């Protein structure tokens, strides 16, 4: 089996991750005041925050290019790849996952799977890295997909934002409109449920919300080993304070602080912070 893994630029991969020749990343464009950017090519993360703060309108994001994906699959087939796994931004907040399913039957010499990650950012990055590792270790295509199914099912992410307007106006928060009149009196905790972002719980203060986040993390990781991410949107001090609290509570391993990239920060807004927990799934067969 010669396996290719495809993802999109909403993913976060650690700076020390060695790019694999078998990994391919589709760009997601960010539009700010009519100008189109691709983070890492003509836009840095610092520039993104400066431009977003100066803009009269919220930035917009596109889906990855379906044509680019189709062309890539054609190229992979010619290059001798036999299997492809595509791990993209949650189908609950992007139509891309649904729109590409027909491609799985279009290539005679490729076995293709596009499982819905139901997540994004660093949890999706962990899925990408583990999939590449499993392929390198010689696990079968079926076993890799089975491992991913377990990983996707048990992945959780809980989010605290400073401003719900980004999510509501962008249509990413399905039950958020009713909260807008109460923003001064609550600090909602959001979460991914079946790939959609919804309100998990309403908390009165940020201090209580942080404590609640830690309690929730303990609940969702009680059944095994997890990779835990503190993910922030230009809120490094908040992230470091949360890390300190978690370490005091015994989270001393498999814990990392990472930034949201511009694609996700567009919809969460500056100041957002999240806890993501992804199960560490051991490969089985050899």
């Amino acid at each position: 089996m010669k396996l290719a893994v495809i993802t999109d630029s909403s993913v976060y991969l650690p700076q020390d991750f060695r790019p694999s020749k078998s990994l391919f990343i589709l760009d997601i464009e960010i539009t700010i005041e009519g100008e189109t950017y691709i983070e890492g090519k003509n836009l840095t993360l610092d520039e993104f925050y400066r431009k977003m703060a100066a803009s009269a309108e919220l930035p917009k994001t596109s889906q990855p290019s379906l044509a680019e994906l189709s062309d890539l699959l054609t190229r992979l087939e010619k290059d001798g790849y036999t299997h492809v796994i595509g791990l993209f931004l949650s189908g609950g907040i992007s139509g891309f996952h649904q729109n590409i399913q027909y491609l799985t039957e279009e290539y005679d010499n490729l076995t293709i799977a596009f499982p819905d990650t139901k997540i994004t950012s660093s949890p999706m990055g962990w899925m990408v890295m583990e999939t590449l590792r499993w392929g390198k270790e010689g696990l079968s295509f079926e076993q890799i997909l089975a491992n991913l199914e377990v990983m996707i099912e048990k992945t959780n992410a809980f989010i605290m934002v400073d401003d719900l307007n980004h999510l509501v106006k962008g249509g990413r928060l399905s039950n958020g409109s009713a909260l807008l009149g109460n923003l001064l009196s609550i600090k909602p905790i959001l979460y991914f449920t079946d790939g959609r972002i919804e309100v998990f719980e309403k908390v009165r203060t940020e201090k209580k919300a942080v404590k609640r986040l830690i309690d929730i993390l303990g609940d969702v990781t009680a059944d095994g080993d997890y990779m835990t991410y503190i993910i922030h949107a230009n809120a490094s001090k908040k992230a470091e304070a949360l890390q300190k609290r978690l370490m005091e509570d015994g989270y001393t391993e498999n814990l990392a602080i990472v930034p949201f990239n511009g694609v996700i920060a567009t919809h969460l807004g500056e100041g957002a912070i999240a806890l993501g927990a992804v199960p560490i799934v051991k490969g089985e067969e050899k």
Side-chain angles (χ1 to χ4, degrees):
M1 177 177 70
K2 186 177 181 181
L3 175 67
V5 179
I6 310 173
T7 188
D8 63 55
S9 60
S10 73
V11 75
Y12 177 84
L13 296 167
Q15 291 183 348
D16 60 357
F17 172 70
R18 287 178 144 189
S20 168
K21 292 181 180 179
S22 297
L23 174 63
F24 304 87
I25 301 176
L26 302 180
D27 292 327
I28 296 179
E29 295 180 344
I30 303 172
T31 301
I32 307 174
E33 294 193 326
E35 293 292 325
T36 299
Y37 303 93
I38 295 173
E39 187 178 339
K41 294 185 177 179
N42 62 348
L43 183 73
T44 67
L45 192 53
D46 287 343
E47 289 170 342
F48 162 78
Y49 283 115
R50 287 197 296 270
K51 290 180 182 294
M52 182 168 69
S55 175
E57 299 179 347
L58 294 179
K60 296 179 175 62
T61 59
S62 66
Q63 294 183 14
S65 167
L66 196 153
E68 183 182 351
L69 175 58
S70 180
D71 290 345
L72 174 58
L73 292 171
T74 298
R75 192 164 73 248
L76 293 175
E77 190 175 37
K78 290 180 179 177
D79 289 346
Y81 284 90
T82 59
H83 293 73
V84 175
I85 293 177
L87 299 169
F88 304 108
L89 176 65
S90 169
I93 54 177
S94 170
F96 186 67
H97 175 261
Q98 182 177 352
N99 293 342
I100 63 177
Q101 291 305 313
Y102 79 96
L103 290 172
T104 60
E105 305 296 331
E106 294 289 303
Y107 299 85
D108 293 338
N109 298 316
L110 289 176
T111 301
I112 303 172
F114 297 141
D116 188 353
T117 68
K118 300 183 180 181
I119 203 71
T120 185
S121 189
S122 47
M124 188 166 81
W126 181 257
M127 295 176 190
V128 167
M129 290 187 293
E130 289 293 87
T131 300
L132 288 166
R133 181 175 68 82
W134 292 326
K136 188 175 181 180
E137 290 179 353
L139 269 66
S140 70
F141 192 68
E142 292 74 19
Q143 184 64 57
I144 292 173
L145 291 178
N147 289 353
L148 279 170
E149 184 178 353
V150 172
M151 189 176 284
I152 291 167
E153 179 66 25
K154 292 189 173 186
T155 291
N156 285 278
F158 296 86
I159 312 163
M160 190 171 63
V161 298
D162 280 351
D163 184 356
L164 282 177
N165 276 295
H166 288 256
L167 281 164
V168 173
K169 289 182 178 179
R172 263 67 183 186
L173 182 57
S174 57
N175 60 347
S177 297
L179 286 171
L180 289 179
N182 299 318
L183 280 178
L184 294 178
S185 59
I186 64 169
K187 192 72 177 178
I189 295 174
L190 313 175
Y191 76 134
F192 273 86
T193 174
D194 198 28
R196 302 183 307 275
I197 299 175
E198 294 188 1
V199 176
F200 178 77
E201 204 169 280
K202 301 174 186 178
V203 185
R204 287 293 176 183
T205 66
E206 183 165 322
K207 183 178 179 180
K208 289 181 179 179
V210 169
K211 183 180 183 303
R212 186 69 184 110
L213 279 175
I214 296 171
D215 291 341
I216 294 167
L217 179 66
D219 291 340
V220 301
T221 60
D223 64 343
D225 295 329
Y226 282 75
M227 187 68 201
T228 302
Y229 294 100
I230 302 168
I231 319 166
H232 68 93
N234 206 26
S236 57
K237 289 185 178 179
K238 282 186 187 179
E240 289 164 3
L242 180 54
Q243 182 189 46
K244 182 179 179 182
R245 290 280 301 275
L246 286 170
M247 292 181 72
E248 289 171 352
D249 279 15
Y251 293 90
T252 56
E253 297 181 356
N254 303 323
L255 176 64
I257 295 177
V258 302
F260 281 114
N261 58 25
V263 170
I264 304 304
T266 290
H267 301 291
L268 296 181
E270 191 168 6
I273 193 163
L275 278 178
V278 194
I280 298 173
V281 178
K282 296 178 181 179
E284 294 296 335
E285 65 182 34
K286 284 291 185 179

